[in-house]
Structure formats: C-alpha cells, structure tokens
C-alpha cells in the first residue's frame, strides 16, 4: 500500500511540475537586409515582430532579431536569433534559437530555449521548444511546442 501511495505522489508531482506548453506566433518581417555572394549564397539580417498565444492562457507580443546564412543552393548553413516575448501581464521571457542546417528558405523546423524571464516565466527558464516556421510574403507563421520538467 505504501508503494502505491509513493508511486502516486511521485507521478502527480511530476505531472503538476510539467512545464510543457504549445504556442502559436504570427507576425511580420520588419527588416530583411540581404548580402548576396558571387557564388549565389546569401547572408540575411532580419527582424520579426508580432504576437503569440499559448495553451497556458498567456498571450502577448514578440520581437526577434537574427541572422541567416544560405549556401548557393539556398539551403540553410547557419541561423541564430534571439526573441523578447512580453505577455498580457507585462512578464517577459527571452528565447535564443537556431534552425536546422539544410532547411529551405521559406519553411523550416528549429529549436529554441527560454534563457531568461521575469515573473511567471522565471519557472520556465531552461525549457526547450521545437517550432515550425512558414513565410507567406512578409507574414511569419510559427506554431510550436515547449517541453521540460523543472
């Protein structure tokens, strides 16, 4: 009986402490500066801004800055970015991330990590997120899932 009680407590503790959540972001490309190389590759410095909503009743705004390096076949060589997200209560969290090497220019899968936060988001620092991104003209669509236990 004690064994069942201990297992139940451990299970519920891990379930209650789960930091998993899903999000959807939608925004626009504000800046997209391109340096083209003679071989056909290119370097892009970008800025996106928009809004987000989560399945944990948080929604707000975001601003992202980053850089992308594409090879002459227009596949990704390197991408690195940081985003500041501010929720409806004024609490913020910062993510840093990258996209998978070899992804296409207009759609891709990537990973990010919550590296800092205030208020509500302090407990989410260290959580890893996986997202998909799709561009339609200058509009950015980004659904994703964040997973982790603290």
């Amino acid at each position: 009986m004690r064994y069942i009680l201990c297992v139940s407590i451990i299970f519920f503790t891990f379930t209650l402490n789960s930091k998993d959540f899903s999000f959807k972001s939608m925004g626009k490309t504000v800046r997209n500066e391109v340096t083209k190389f003679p071989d056909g590759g290119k370097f892009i410095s970008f800025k996106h801004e928009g809004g987000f909503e989560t399945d944990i009743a948080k929604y707000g705004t975001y601003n992202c800055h980053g850089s992308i390096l594409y090879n002459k076949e227009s596949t990704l060589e390197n991408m690195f970015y940081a985003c500041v997200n501010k929720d409806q209560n004024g609490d913020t969290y910062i993510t840093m991330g990258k996209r998978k090497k070899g992804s296409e220019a207009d759609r891709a899968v990537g990973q990010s990590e919550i590296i800092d936060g205030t208020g509500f988001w302090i407990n989410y620092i260290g959580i890893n997120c996986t997202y998909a991104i799709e561009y339609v003209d200058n509009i950015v669509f980004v659904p994703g899932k964040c997973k982790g236990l603290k």
Side-chain angles (χ1 to χ4, degrees), residues 19-142:
K19 303 295 182 193
D20 296 357
F21 68 96
S22 295
F23 66 90
K24 291 181 185 175
S25 297
M26 186 169 67
K28 62 182 178 177
T29 302
V30 176
R31 177 177 49 83
N32 206 39
E33 297 171 358
V34 180
T35 301
K36 293 183 180 181
F37 303 130
D39 73 354
K42 60 186 172 182
F43 177 84
I44 301 171
S45 175
F46 68 87
K47 178 181 179 184
H48 295 167
E49 61 184 33
F52 71 89
E53 65 177 326
T54 71
D55 64 352
I56 55 173
K58 295 292 181 180
Y59 53 91
T61 62
Y62 76 86
N63 286 288
C64 297
H65 301 267
S67 62
I68 309 171
L69 176 63
Y70 290 107
N71 63 26
K72 63 184 177 184
E73 287 82 30
S74 292
T75 55
L76 186 77
E77 287 294 322
N78 194 358
M79 177 185 179
F80 196 61
Y81 66 90
C83 299
V84 177
N85 303 270
K86 183 177 179 183
D87 71 21
Q88 74 269 29
N89 298 316
D91 294 334
T92 61
Y93 66 97
I94 297 173
T95 58
M96 291 195 76
K98 59 185 177 180
R99 280 199 351 225
K100 292 188 175 186
K101 183 176 179 175
S103 59
E104 297 176 24
D106 61 347
R107 67 180 64 88
V109 174
Q111 290 81 37
S112 65
E113 179 181 352
I114 299 175
I115 63 162
D116 202 358
T118 64
F120 174 85
W121 298 103
I122 288 173
N123 295 321
Y124 287 78
I125 295 171
I127 299 299
N128 291 303
C129 305
T130 300
Y131 64 89
I133 187 167
E134 177 123 13
Y135 293 88
V136 178
D137 296 325
N138 284 331
I139 305 300
V140 184
F141 299 89
V142 186

